[in-house]
Amino acid sequence: MLLKIPQVLNKEQVAQGRAILEAAEWVDGSVTAGYQSTLAKKNIQLLEDSPAAIQVGDMILGALAQQPLFMSAALPSKIFPPLFNCYQNGHAFAEHVDNAVRHVKGTPVKIRTDLSMTLFFSEPEEYDGGELIVQDTYGEHTAKFAAGDMVLYPSTSLHRVTPVTRGQRLCSFFWLQSMVARDEQRSLLFDMDNAIQALRQNHDDEDPALIKLTGVYHNLLRQWVQT
Ligand code: NI
């Protein structure tokens, strides 16, 4: 499942974030890549412990906690502190799968990467290319969204970023460990939650069928959850 989470940040937050990011120090993107992806990856990024990354990262995490669509789709257990990259002058990232486990620098925390996120800080018309292309069993999906929007996709997916041939593509990218490790189970819960929310629009909250369905949602979650 590839999911767009619209307007995680509003335009004011995007502008504020960009001002901080543009004033920060950028380094070669190979610093967070594994061996295979070092060969595939051409971009620049912020060091993960840079004050700018921490400040804008905290703004993103605060905003995500207020997003019911994200919470329902991701069922997050641990979220990696957001990282930031910039593609320009032909930068690209060839096809790869993200590393399965990430260490949070300077802590004993390890995160199993179940879901990958990209949050856009540049508007699509500011650059050419720079599409994130994600493969799943139904084919290829392209993400190039408005500034402030985020894409969420399973970290098991092969994906790539096409060359940026004009302008600058500034994004945040990060991962999370979900309370439900398997994508198929998480997708079922998400579909069910959406259906329950839709039913709630035109049914009484005390409708016995709705109460039962909500119970089934929680009992499925209870079977699959890892905390
Ligand atoms: Ni990747």
Side-chain angles (χ1 to χ4, degrees):
M1 176 180 59
L2 178 142
L3 185 71
K4 176 179 176 176
I5 315 277
Q7 294 169 21
V8 170
L9 300 180
N10 61 36
K11 297 297 178 195
E12 212 168 276
Q13 289 170 310
V14 168
Q16 196 188 335
R18 270 177 79 144
I20 296 166
L21 297 173
E22 280 162 9
E25 193 192 336
W26 292 77
V27 298
D28 192 281
S30 58
V31 287
T32 59
Y35 173 71
Q36 189 267 332
S37 46
T38 301
L39 305 175
K41 182 179 187 183
K42 297 278 173 283
N43 64 11
I44 53 173
Q45 67 184 55
L46 288 190
L47 287 174
E48 47 190 295
D49 49 4
S50 93
I54 294 166
Q55 192 182 352
V56 184
D58 284 348
M59 177 168 83
I60 294 171
L61 295 178
L64 280 177
Q66 314 292 319
Q67 278 278 342
L69 180 62
F70 166 75
M71 297 306 275
S72 169
L75 298 169
S77 167
K78 293 187 261 183
I79 306 182
F80 195 89
L83 299 174
F84 298 87
N85 60 19
C86 179
Y87 292 75
Q88 57 193 358
N89 306 321
H91 283 155
F93 201 156
E95 200 139 79
H96 66 282
V97 168
D98 294 342
N99 288 0
V101 178
R102 290 270 168 190
H103 273 98
V104 180
K105 199 173 175 181
T107 77
V109 178
K110 280 186 213 156
I111 290 178
R112 183 190 62 234
T113 57
D114 294 324
L115 287 164
S116 301
M117 280 84 70
T118 295
L119 193 155
F120 293 83
F121 274 86
S122 302
E123 297 292 355
E125 56 274 15
E126 289 180 86
Y127 57 97
D128 289 336
E131 283 95 3
L132 169 67
I133 299 180
V134 181
Q135 288 185 27
D136 68 13
T137 45
Y138 302 108
E140 292 196 334
H141 306 272
T142 300
K144 181 171 176 175
F145 298 149
D149 292 354
M150 190 178 86
V151 59
L152 184 71
Y153 59 96
S155 304
T156 47
S157 321
L158 270 172
H159 58 280
R160 65 184 190 273
V161 177
T162 64
V164 171
T165 54
R166 178 189 63 89
Q168 219 177 41
R169 175 195 190 266
L170 187 59
C171 287
S172 175
F173 67 104
F174 51 117
W175 304 271
L176 67 81
Q177 179 171 323
S178 175
M179 292 190 289
V180 176
R182 290 186 53 191
D183 191 46
E184 315 85 85
Q185 293 175 334
R186 209 181 317 107
S187 295
L188 279 175
L189 288 167
F190 179 56
D191 286 346
M192 192 165 184
D193 189 31
N194 281 334
I196 291 169
Q197 297 311 325
L199 284 172
R200 203 158 267 157
Q201 303 293 313
N202 32 27
H203 287 75
D204 185 345
D205 272 355
E206 270 145 53
D207 185 322
L210 203 46
I211 292 172
K212 256 193 180 162
L213 266 180
T214 307
V216 173
Y217 173 88
H218 285 287
N219 291 335
L220 280 176
L221 178 58
R222 203 184 322 276
Q223 286 198 33
W224 294 336
V225 76
Q226 298 164 312
T227 55

